Amino acid sequence: MSFSSRNRNLLILHGTVLVWGFTGILGSLISIPSVPLVWYRVLIAFITLYVYFRVTKTSFSLPREALLKLFLTGALVGGHWILFFQSIKSSTISVGLVCLSSLTLFTAILEPLIGRKKISPLEIFTGVFIICGIVMIFKFESQYSLGISLGLGSAFLASLFSIINSRQVQKHPASLISFYEMIGAFIWLSVYMLITGGFDSGMKLHTSDFVYLMILGTICTSLAYVAGVAVLRELSAFRVALITNLEPVYGILLAFIFYGSREHMTLGFYGGATMIMGAIFMYPYLRNKIEKRKLQKTLPLV
């Protein structure tokens, strides 16, 4: 891989993560409730992916068992987005994004339990730091307790479907996984809205809502996802994971640009956010160092 090719892919990845960070802004700008918001998002997303597959002549074929798993996982994806947007609407964009960063904590706990593996000391160490950061935010931002709780719930669901997808992606193309999960999320949400009477006047869109939803469903979901997968052809998973951790940082900076004083928080919030983000950034670095040390110990002496 040439130097220019690597730089181009790094630029694409940073742009993709910046776009993901913009979803919080869009969620705040869209006036409709969280459930119909996500319903529109997944509808636009899977239609966009369908058009993409048709243009690129991608096969839709998957085993029936895989389709069922992806359909069920779609419920987790839909629930994650509903809780995330409701967290933002109940508090601030900054609170929602920082709480979403606890995804690392939940994954460190759930992945070994689901896979029946031993939890590493590094993951416990990282988890303790994240818990301390969350406790600090709760203490100083008690008026946003509901938003914080919803944000943590969103991160929990994201952790679950991320663990499931990490296994599915070993067997099936990532783009097809996303496509069928979007369809699953759409169907689950439609059933829920039928039962609860959600197809009402609350789904009526203003012109601005329609524009923001199109941006959210196409650029921030479908296109960003395809770009994020494409860079994996030339960039290591470690580098991609490290840069993806910048999503809350980009999102919070964008929130300050768009909303200014509305996003101003207490020093306790920034202290807790710093602990959470510090733990997230240090985890892959320390893990890489530990793995290199283990590899050096196993190399034969010459």
Side-chain angles (χ1 to χ4, degrees), residues 75-85 100 150 153-155 157-158 161:
L76 299 177
V77 176
H80 154 69
W81 278 337
I82 290 171
L83 292 178
F84 173 66
F85 287 123
L100 187 60
L150 293 170
S154 171
L157 293 182
F161 73 71

Side-chain angles (χ1 to χ4, degrees), residues 190-237:
S190 297
V191 171
Y192 172 78
M193 292 171 70
L194 281 172
I195 294 173
T196 60
F199 291 102
D200 55 18
S201 59
M203 295 192 69
K204 185 178 180 181
L205 299 175
H206 301 295
T207 302
S208 58
D209 289 333
F210 179 78
V211 173
Y212 295 144
L213 278 166
M214 289 301 297
I215 296 172
L216 180 64
T218 55
I219 298 174
C220 296
T221 306
S222 300
L223 295 182
Y225 182 86
V226 172
V229 173
V231 298
L232 286 168
R233 295 171 185 166
E234 297 195 42
L235 298 178
S236 69

Side-chain angles (χ1 to χ4, degrees), residues 14-291:
H14 276 283
T16 301
V17 175
L18 179 63
V19 167
W20 286 336
F22 194 67
T23 59
I25 305 292
L26 292 172
S28 178
L29 290 172
I30 297 171
S31 64
I32 60 175
S34 299
V35 174
L37 188 161
V38 175
W39 186 86
Y40 280 118
R41 178 182 187 176
V42 294
L43 173 63
I44 295 169
F46 84 71
I47 290 176
T48 305
L49 283 171
Y50 176 80
V51 173
Y52 168 78
F53 291 149
R54 283 298 186 187
V55 171
T56 57
K57 298 180 180 180
T58 302
S59 172
F60 291 83
S61 178
L62 280 181
R64 184 176 299 177
E65 182 182 353
L67 288 174
L68 179 60
K69 288 181 180 178
L70 296 177
F71 174 74
L72 295 173
T73 306
L76 299 177
V77 176
H80 154 69
W81 278 337
I82 290 171
L83 292 178
F84 173 66
F85 287 123
Q86 191 57 46
S87 171
I88 288 173
K89 291 178 181 293
S90 301
S91 55
T92 68
I93 298 169
S94 299
V95 168
L97 286 169
V98 168
C99 289
L100 187 60
S101 300
S102 62
L103 168 66
T104 302
L105 167 63
F106 290 118
T107 303
I109 296 172
L110 293 173
E111 190 168 28
L113 291 176
I114 294 174
R116 297 181 180 180
K117 297 178 181 179
K118 183 179 179 181
I119 298 178
S120 73
L122 176 59
E123 290 173 344
I124 294 175
F125 176 77
T126 305
V128 168
F129 261 80
I130 293 175
I131 290 172
C132 290
I134 292 171
V135 169
M136 185 177 292
I137 292 174
F138 258 113
K139 180 179 179 181
F140 288 94
E141 302 294 343
S142 57
Q143 73 272 30
Y144 296 134
S145 294
L146 177 59
I148 294 171
S149 299
L150 293 170
L152 294 176
S154 171
F156 176 78
L157 293 182
S159 176
L160 283 177
F161 73 71
S162 295
I163 294 169
I164 294 171
N165 285 347
S166 68
R167 298 183 179 186
Q168 291 296 316
V169 79
Q170 304 301 321
K171 308 173 186 177
H172 314 294
S175 54
L176 283 182
I177 290 173
S178 177
F179 176 68
Y180 285 111
E181 286 181 352
M182 293 301 102
I183 293 177
F186 175 76
I187 294 174
W188 282 109
L189 281 173
S190 297
V191 171
Y192 172 78
M193 292 171 70
L194 281 172
I195 294 173
T196 60
F199 291 102
D200 55 18
S201 59
M203 295 192 69
K204 185 178 180 181
L205 299 175
H206 301 295
T207 302
S208 58
D209 289 333
F210 179 78
V211 173
Y212 295 144
L213 278 166
M214 289 301 297
I215 296 172
L216 180 64
T218 55
I219 298 174
C220 296
T221 306
S222 300
L223 295 182
Y225 182 86
V226 172
V229 173
V231 298
L232 286 168
R233 295 171 185 166
E234 297 195 42
L235 298 178
S236 69
F238 172 79
R239 177 166 288 187
V240 171
L242 188 62
I243 295 174
T244 301
N245 284 331
L246 285 169
E247 180 183 349
V249 178
Y250 285 151
I252 290 172
L253 289 175
L254 286 169
F256 274 114
I257 293 172
F258 277 83
Y259 293 106
S261 59
R262 173 180 163 183
E263 289 293 318
H264 180 72
M265 311 296 288
T266 64
L267 289 177
F269 170 84
Y270 294 116
T274 301
M275 292 186 70
I276 293 172
M277 296 306 300
I280 290 172
F281 280 108
M282 287 302 296
Y283 174 75
Y285 170 76
L286 292 175
R287 183 180 62 183
N288 193 45
K289 296 285 285 186
I290 291 171
E291 288 176 354

